[in-house]
Amino acid sequence: MLMHPVQQFHFLLEIARVLASSLDLKDVFQRILQSAVEILHGQIGLLALRARRGHLQVVAAYGLPPTLLPRFRPLLEDIPYSRTEEGWSISRQDILSRLHLVAEATGLSLRQVVAIPLTIEDEFLGLLYIFRTSERPFTVEEEYLLRTFADLAAIAVRNARLYTALQLERNRLRAIIDNSADGIMILDAECRVEVINRTLSRMTGWPVEKARGKPGHAVLHLENASEPDPCVQMEKGIPFKEQIYREGDIVRPSKPRITVGVTYTPVFDEAGELQYIIVNVNDITRFREAEEMKSTFISVISHELKTPVALIKGYAATLRREDVQWDMDTIREGLQIIEEEADRLTHLIDNLLDASRIQAGGLKLEFEEVDLKEVIKRVVDGFQVQTAAHQIVIDVPDDLPPVWADRERIRQVLDNLLSNAIKYSPEGGVIRVGAWANTHEVTVYVADQGIGIPEEEQPYLFERFYRVDTSLRRKTKGAGLGLFLAKALVEAHGGRIWVHSKPGEGSTFFFTLPIAGAPRENDRPSP
Ligand code: ADP
């Protein structure tokens, strides 16, 4: 006899509640099965789903010890289900004969069974079995009721599948966002950070956890921005309607500035309400630097090349005037200037060529044992004859060990440091060039008593085309390449270069070179 309709309703309601509230499939299956067994006055129930190979796998069992489960195999393998007009059906006869096998194997007095297919949109998912130990067969009405339970179980499967698919999609999206080389941030409609990826967290210095919930414009704050921040605009009541692109700098203390291009894409719902803002942050520092470099390059070249060329042209034109008879001194003086300016041009062109070679990675060094004292002496002698205002003192011990270096390149480094020491000591004074050795390396220094370099400028001195902005600098000639080259050359030798300086007191530039024969950092044991 069937349960009272009110009680049936109560059972179904309970299952619907579990279905809606629980994502634990096992739990949902168990409740459905238990209710189905009780409502149909059965004793045992099985819920089995189709596994990969087509066999059924028990996902919930009721009323029987787990040790007996393997003996239900006849009811789980090669089940004769078929598709009919009304949906999936199972041969009742076949199931009954399999029931006898199971009854024998288990020793349970299983007399009646009903098998209801679980289906979603024409897909056969599995079976719901209810067993009776009594002879009373299942009525059509009971089977019909059981179908409702099977449908509920199928809905649970579908929910779980959707949930898994959603979870998978979500994880995939999260992985894409997290591993993107671009910075990505998702803001809610109030412009608060919901998601921020690792790249952007690194760029801004905001840890992911801390950034969440903060205003987007606080996490990604741009200096020198080309456009206003759409979030700030929204706060002012200006609606955010379409994609916005802005460029600017992320500035952090004691970190290099990052120039970024940021795209803000608003996402609206069907009603046109703003849902999210997707923020895409592209590091364009190199691109911007290359652009700046190009324009600096052009202005430096035009300024630095034009001056000597104009002088050469001017003197040459003056000297060859046919209407004037020049005396020997004037001719000599004019030719000397032409020669000096031609030298300056050659020096600048060499520096430019070296700079581009370094950039292209094509700088080749010819290493040999070099006696530094001798190189220093040669360079100093060359400079000393050019200046009367400066006294250049050499302070190198006689037993300084030879270094492993490219003689010409080291001469170039010393050349650049000494010419700077003279250029930037307009009052003259002592310039000291010295060296000392420790176990692995020799340290060389060039110290002047000149104008010095403000501390905040010191980190940038070795950058290409960098010149400290002083009135003296504006008067002195230079392309801002000397120290860039000196650094590249010293580093190509495996050494370091740095400066100690105080404005008004002078500067000392130091660099190191490896001692010949000493083990070097980039030496590899030969195979
Ligand atoms: P430049 O061609 O301008 O001399 P460098 O790369 O050699 O280029 O030097 C970069 C800048 O560093 C210079 O413009 C100058 O402002 C500063 N500088 C270099 N050497 C000295 C020094 N000995 N004393 C003061 N300032 C210096």
Side-chain angles (χ1 to χ4, degrees):
M1 210 193 62
L2 255 176
M3 208 175 248
H4 190 275
V6 173
Q7 246 172 323
Q8 284 178 26
F9 183 65
H10 170 79
F11 265 106
L12 287 175
L13 218 58
E14 166 70 12
I15 291 169
R17 199 185 56 75
V18 173
L19 210 57
S21 66
S22 174
L23 277 170
D24 180 356
L25 251 195
K26 259 194 162 0
D27 182 40
V28 173
F29 287 153
Q30 202 61 45
R31 304 268 192 114
I32 291 174
L33 186 63
Q34 183 177 345
S35 305
V37 173
E38 286 176 11
I39 229 169
L40 292 191
H41 299 292
Q43 283 70 42
I44 290 174
L46 282 185
L47 187 61
L49 294 184
R50 207 152 72 125
R52 287 247 160 79
R53 289 237 211 85
H55 291 327
L56 296 176
Q57 202 171 14
V58 175
V59 292
Y62 177 82
L64 95 164
T67 44
L68 287 184
L69 259 186
R71 304 199 183 160
F72 278 76
R73 254 177 60 190
L75 283 167
L76 299 171
E77 286 178 6
D78 309 317
I79 297 298
Y81 53 85
S82 60
R83 184 86 181 80
T84 66
E85 287 277 292
E86 287 97 56
W88 293 95
S89 81
I90 314 285
S91 147
R92 180 184 285 267
Q93 227 21 64
D94 192 282
I95 290 290
L96 272 176
S97 57
R98 286 165 187 254
L99 178 70
H100 292 312
L101 293 177
V102 173
E104 248 170 53
T106 53
L108 298 169
S109 65
L110 302 172
R111 300 261 160 67
Q112 292 291 339
V113 64
V114 62
I116 306 288
L118 263 64
T119 57
I120 302 179
E121 287 149 12
D122 263 8
E123 184 191 351
F124 179 87
L125 294 179
L127 281 175
L128 174 61
Y129 282 113
I130 306 288
F131 303 90
R132 272 186 192 148
T133 47
S134 68
E135 287 294 353
R136 192 165 66 82
F138 288 93
T139 63
V140 176
E141 209 186 0
E142 282 176 328
E143 271 192 34
Y144 188 75
L145 182 62
L146 202 53
R147 227 166 258 284
T148 312
F149 284 93
D151 286 346
L152 287 174
I155 290 171
V157 172
R158 185 166 59 181
N159 280 356
R161 277 188 185 175
L162 285 178
Y163 182 75
T164 312
L166 205 70
Q167 204 65 8
L168 220 71
E169 202 50 42
R170 194 189 212 149
N171 289 347
R172 195 159 44 189
L173 213 63
R174 175 55 54 87
I176 293 173
I177 290 178
D178 249 0
N179 295 304
S180 161
D182 286 344
I184 298 174
M185 185 161 80
I186 299 176
L187 308 178
D188 64 15
E190 263 75 54
C191 274
R192 277 184 305 255
V193 177
E194 271 195 4
V195 173
I196 174 169
N197 77 343
R198 270 180 277 173
T199 308
L200 190 56
S201 153
R202 217 176 308 122
M203 280 180 182
T204 57
W206 276 84
V208 173
E209 284 310 320
K210 270 200 163 163
R212 267 192 211 126
K214 296 279 181 330
H217 54 84
V219 173
L220 180 64
H221 173 74
L222 297 190
E223 306 254 328
N224 315 315
S226 60
E227 304 285 328
D229 189 310
C231 287
V232 176
Q233 297 291 89
M234 267 162 60
E235 276 175 15
K236 292 186 194 156
I238 302 169
F240 181 19
K241 289 201 185 113
E242 51 196 35
Q243 199 175 61
I244 287 181
Y245 177 77
R246 56 200 291 258
E247 288 183 4
D249 299 327
I250 299 178
V251 180
R252 292 167 56 196
S254 68
K255 288 270 158 78
R257 163 190 85 154
I258 307 175
T259 306
V260 287
V262 186
T263 312
Y264 298 77
T265 311
V267 179
F268 301 98
D269 64 8
E270 299 94 68
E273 285 287 315
L274 180 66
Q275 292 286 293
Y276 298 107
I277 301 163
I278 299 177
V279 185
N280 210 287
V281 186
N282 230 308
D283 185 343
I284 55 167
T285 313
R286 276 169 174 275
F287 178 66
R288 178 70 76 81
E289 268 174 8
E291 261 185 5
E292 278 170 12
M293 194 78 79
K294 210 156 67 187
S295 65
T296 317
F297 181 81
I298 290 167
S299 67
V300 166
I301 294 301
S302 49
H303 179 254
E304 292 303 311
L305 290 184
K306 261 184 168 169
T307 323
V309 169
L311 280 169
I312 291 171
K313 164 95 179 148
Y315 275 92
T318 311
L319 291 181
R320 71 181 279 276
R321 268 173 67 175
E322 280 163 14
D323 55 333
V324 189
Q325 204 60 45
W326 301 112
D327 61 57
M328 262 332 265
D329 281 350
T330 314
I331 294 175
R332 203 170 293 123
E333 198 186 317
L335 288 176
Q336 191 189 339
I337 289 175
I338 290 176
E339 192 184 356
E340 278 173 14
E341 292 304 314
D343 282 348
R344 212 152 72 78
L345 264 183
T346 314
H347 180 71
L348 181 63
I349 290 167
D350 281 349
N351 274 357
L352 282 172
L353 284 178
D354 280 342
S356 69
R357 249 180 236 136
I358 286 168
Q359 197 178 18
L363 186 78
K364 294 266 176 304
L365 297 185
E366 287 180 18
F367 285 98
E368 58 181 327
E369 281 193 9
V370 176
D371 176 359
L372 263 185
K373 187 161 190 166
E374 180 210 310
V375 180
I376 289 174
K377 215 175 140 350
R378 280 238 316 269
V379 176
V380 166
D381 286 349
F383 277 99
Q384 188 63 80
V385 292
Q386 295 175 26
T387 169
H390 303 86
Q391 189 200 346
I392 312 180
V393 179
I394 298 180
D395 181 14
V396 181
D398 283 330
D399 60 352
L400 191 77
V403 290
W404 187 245
D406 180 322
R407 185 186 304 272
E408 259 321 290
R409 296 306 191 176
I410 294 310
R411 201 191 50 69
Q412 208 178 341
V413 173
L414 283 165
D415 240 39
N416 278 325
L417 294 184
L418 258 161
S419 78
N420 278 349
I422 293 171
K423 255 198 316 195
Y424 299 107
S425 325
E427 314 272 291
V430 176
I431 294 171
R432 197 170 283 277
V433 187
W436 74 85
N438 60 23
T439 39
H440 294 318
E441 56 186 21
V442 168
T443 306
V444 185
Y445 67 86
V446 177
D448 63 53
Q449 299 172 326
I451 58 167
I453 304 152
E455 202 176 329
E456 62 277 12
E457 305 275 0
Q458 292 177 14
Y460 307 109
L461 289 185
F462 300 94
E463 284 176 14
R464 205 172 345 180
F465 300 127
Y466 191 84
R467 307 197 70 205
V468 180
D469 195 10
T470 61
S471 58
L472 177 64
R473 189 224 73 174
R474 271 173 253 130
K475 274 182 257 151
T476 55
K477 291 164 182 155
L481 277 178
L483 290 180
F484 167 75
L485 284 174
K487 179 170 193 267
L489 292 174
V490 167
E491 287 178 354
H493 282 82
R496 291 159 285 127
I497 186 164
W498 68 100
V499 65
H500 284 172
S501 181
K502 257 202 176 147
E505 290 180 19
S507 315
T508 305
F509 282 84
F510 299 86
F511 65 92
T512 62
L513 288 173
I515 288 176
R520 283 179 299 284
E521 240 174 62
N522 40 4
D523 265 2
R524 299 262 176 284
S526 40

